[in-house]
Amino acid sequence: MVDRVDVAVIGAGHAGLNAIKEIRKVTDDYVLINGGGLGTTCARVGCMPSKVAVHLAEVYQTRKQFQRYGIDGADALRIDQGTALEHVRDLRDTFVDLVLANTTDEMGDELIEGFARFIDAETVQVGERVIRADAFVIASGASTVVPSGWEERLGDRILTVESLFEQDRLPESVAVLGLGPIGIEIGQALHRLGVCVVGIEAGEKLARLQDPVVSQAAVDILRREFPVWLGQPAEVEPSGDRVRVRAGDQEMCVEKLFVAMGRRPNLAGLGLERVGCQLDPKGVPLHDPQTLRVGPFPIYLAGDATGGMANLQTAAEQGRIAGFNACHGAPLRFDPKTPMSIIFSDPNIAVVGTPFSALDQAAVVVGQQRFGPVGRALIMGQNRGLMRLYADRRTGLVLGGAMVGPRCEHLAHLLAWGIQCRLSVREMLKMPFYHPVIEEALQDCLHELDRRLDAPARMISRPSSAVA
């Protein structure tokens, strides 16, 4: 027997659930197929548990500023790591329950638990069931990449975001392999919670920061807390019940590895070879980034399954686009929003708009502002880092920026909104700023850009409304 539906969604993460929201506006004839545990990556192993750990670490770290403010007794404070992990798990479970209560718990026959495998471009099999659909949304997520053979040789000495928060205790020492967003956030949090940490990145930059000045500032700041080895891949081997880690001429023996060297889309078991679609070198189907359609097939790709940067907002947006297009005949093209990446380290690291490496250096001007003299940052004892903004030399339009500093999660949003609205430097400077606030760093950096712009670019702005 073949079940027939209008749309089948594969994967119950944020992308899949947002696809369902769009599909429900058009039809009730759909199914959601999910293999493995329910609950989104964000809630189960991603944003939520990691940000709880980051916040706990930041709260504990504040004890180091007590003496500065005349507070005694900081040396006597100790953290119970077991209780901290239990708190992370409790909050994680709360987030998962909230997600399920508002989504899959409300479903009946629409939810099919099991792993889907394509028979052809219009049919999948899930266990003994065969489901034929007018369109499919693949939102199967991604998993941490662990190099081949490591798990066999090292066993439970390897930790990932999927396993870290299931531990009864934190390791005494850990090598963090891969200093992208996950590696930086978890590495710093573990260090501040009392773990001996070394961070290792095969590339020369942290978190793919393309701006060399901001990248170096981020490296310098992170190295004040724990060793950071750049530019050499890690080699690992068992050493008793521990792991010996080498990178170039540097070596260390640790209790555990935390592997954060990338994530791979969960596509291998879907049988996409039966569909006939073309795959890129990573095994991801070639698809239109604006419609998310896979070739000429009635199949749409969304979220981490696309192989792009892991980001809940992007996954949710792509889920809505894929769900909408799966329900309507000719797929619509949706313009991408201004890209924005935020790392919740202390201080934050953020990149917005056009990355530095994609700029025509002869056609842009760069403004720079350090957080050292920013009053609010100085008051908080967090005046480390700098901001760099990029503007078009001819038009004065703000194109992008990179920063490492306090509260950059907020500055990044203001900058992204300005870029999305195609504001010039002068137009952004017309916006209100208060004092003393971190946003004054953005204001000062815009003033620096304005001074560097050619005279014609300074004059380009939309006329403001007259005030009676």
Side-chain angles (χ1 to χ4, degrees):
M1 178 179 176
V2 177
D3 295 324
R4 305 184 70 91
V5 295
D6 290 338
V7 186
V9 177
I10 301 171
H14 265 94
L17 293 176
N18 277 274
I20 292 293
K21 291 177 182 178
E22 290 297 323
I23 293 165
R24 281 174 167 169
K25 297 176 183 178
V26 178
T27 178
D28 292 327
D29 190 17
Y30 68 87
V31 291
L32 174 61
I33 304 166
N34 188 74
L38 288 167
T40 67
T41 295
C42 173
R44 288 188 296 105
V45 300
C47 310
M48 296 312 179
S50 69
K51 299 309 176 286
V52 175
V54 167
H55 180 67
L56 285 174
E58 286 183 0
V59 170
Y60 188 48
Q61 182 76 357
T62 59
R63 75 194 189 284
K64 295 194 173 181
Q65 294 194 36
F66 283 4
Q67 189 172 9
R68 173 184 180 181
Y69 297 107
I71 303 173
D72 294 327
D75 292 341
L77 294 176
R78 295 291 181 270
I79 189 165
D80 184 324
Q81 294 180 347
T83 300
L85 282 169
E86 185 176 349
H87 179 62
V88 172
R89 287 193 292 270
D90 286 346
L91 277 178
R92 176 205 60 192
D93 293 344
T94 298
F95 286 125
V96 171
D97 289 344
L98 286 171
V99 169
L100 298 182
N102 293 320
T103 54
T104 55
D105 283 356
E106 300 175 347
M107 294 183 183
D109 295 337
E110 298 92 349
L111 177 62
I112 301 173
E113 296 194 50
F115 293 92
R117 186 170 180 82
F118 280 92
I119 296 173
D120 56 43
E122 298 177 347
T123 317
V124 296
Q125 184 164 357
V126 185
E128 299 299 319
R129 296 182 65 175
V130 175
I131 299 162
R132 192 170 180 83
D134 293 337
F136 290 90
V137 175
I138 299 176
S140 48
S143 301
T144 298
V145 174
V146 178
S148 177
W150 282 24
E151 291 178 305
E152 291 78 8
R153 289 192 293 134
L154 301 172
D156 62 5
R157 284 168 285 191
I158 293 177
L159 298 174
T160 66
V161 289
E162 289 86 358
S163 62
L164 174 64
F165 302 112
E166 302 303 323
Q167 307 302 302
D168 294 327
R169 66 173 183 86
L170 292 176
E172 170 267 328
S173 59
V174 64
V176 176
L177 307 185
L179 294 177
I182 295 173
I184 291 174
E185 290 178 3
I186 295 298
Q188 187 179 55
L190 291 175
H191 162 74
R192 292 183 170 189
L193 292 172
V195 179
C196 178
V197 172
V198 58
I200 305 172
E201 169 58 49
E204 296 288 349
K205 299 181 177 69
L206 295 181
R208 297 175 289 277
L209 271 170
Q210 299 302 314
D211 189 309
V213 179
V214 177
S215 177
Q216 188 58 53
V219 171
D220 292 343
I221 290 170
L222 202 59
R223 278 179 171 161
R224 295 177 193 175
E225 297 201 36
F226 57 85
V228 174
W229 303 347
L230 299 177
Q232 295 288 341
E235 299 177 3
V236 301
E237 63 180 18
S239 179
D241 59 353
R242 300 169 72 83
V243 184
R244 187 173 303 280
V245 184
R246 296 188 183 88
D249 58 358
Q250 302 180 95
E251 180 179 310
M252 187 174 182
C253 206
V254 295
E255 182 181 348
K256 301 278 188 180
L257 301 178
F258 179 77
V259 179
M261 301 163 69
R263 293 177 67 77
R264 179 183 295 116
N266 298 325
L267 300 171
L270 285 175
L272 289 169
E273 66 279 359
R274 300 181 182 180
V275 173
C277 55
Q278 291 182 284
L279 306 180
D280 70 12
K282 296 182 179 179
V284 178
L286 298 183
H287 58 283
D288 185 322
Q290 290 182 285
T291 67
L292 301 177
R293 186 174 182 176
V294 175
F297 305 103
I299 298 173
Y300 297 85
L301 206 60
D304 292 354
T306 64
M309 292 286 290
N311 180 297
L312 181 144
Q313 286 74 26
T314 299
E317 182 178 359
Q318 288 181 339
R320 289 191 292 270
I321 292 170
F324 179 92
N325 280 337
C327 292
H328 296 81
L332 296 182
R333 302 177 68 82
F334 290 82
D335 292 332
K337 294 181 180 178
T338 297
M340 173 170 50
S341 171
I342 301 171
I343 300 175
F344 294 88
S345 53
D346 178 21
N348 297 157
I349 299 171
V351 179
V352 180
T354 305
F356 186 83
S357 60
L359 296 169
D360 178 355
Q361 298 299 321
V364 300
V365 293
V366 179
Q368 179 172 308
Q369 170 66 35
R370 292 192 174 276
F371 284 94
V374 178
R376 182 68 173 175
L378 191 62
I379 291 168
M380 297 187 300
Q382 297 177 358
N383 56 327
R384 301 173 295 164
L386 58 86
M387 170 190 298
R388 301 238 297 170
L389 301 182
Y390 324 128
D392 185 284
R393 183 181 297 278
R394 184 180 63 84
T395 65
L397 288 176
V398 180
L399 302 175
M403 60 196 85
V404 53
R407 307 296 191 269
C408 284
E409 59 179 290
H410 307 298
L411 300 181
H413 277 82
L414 295 179
L415 180 59
W417 294 348
I419 295 170
Q420 184 81 16
C421 293
R422 294 187 57 77
L423 298 183
S424 69
V425 173
R426 277 288 174 93
E427 287 169 328
M428 287 191 70
L429 280 170
K430 289 180 181 178
M431 299 299 177
F433 291 87
Y434 205 71
H435 172 82
V437 293
I438 293 295
E439 285 74 11
E440 287 179 291
L442 176 60
Q443 184 182 39
D444 290 343
C445 201
L446 288 167
H447 276 302
E448 177 65 17
L449 263 182
D450 189 50
R451 285 191 290 270
R452 292 175 177 272
L453 281 169
D454 297 333
R458 289 186 182 153
M459 301 303 295
I460 296 176
S461 65
R462 290 187 286 274
S464 57
S465 301
V467 178

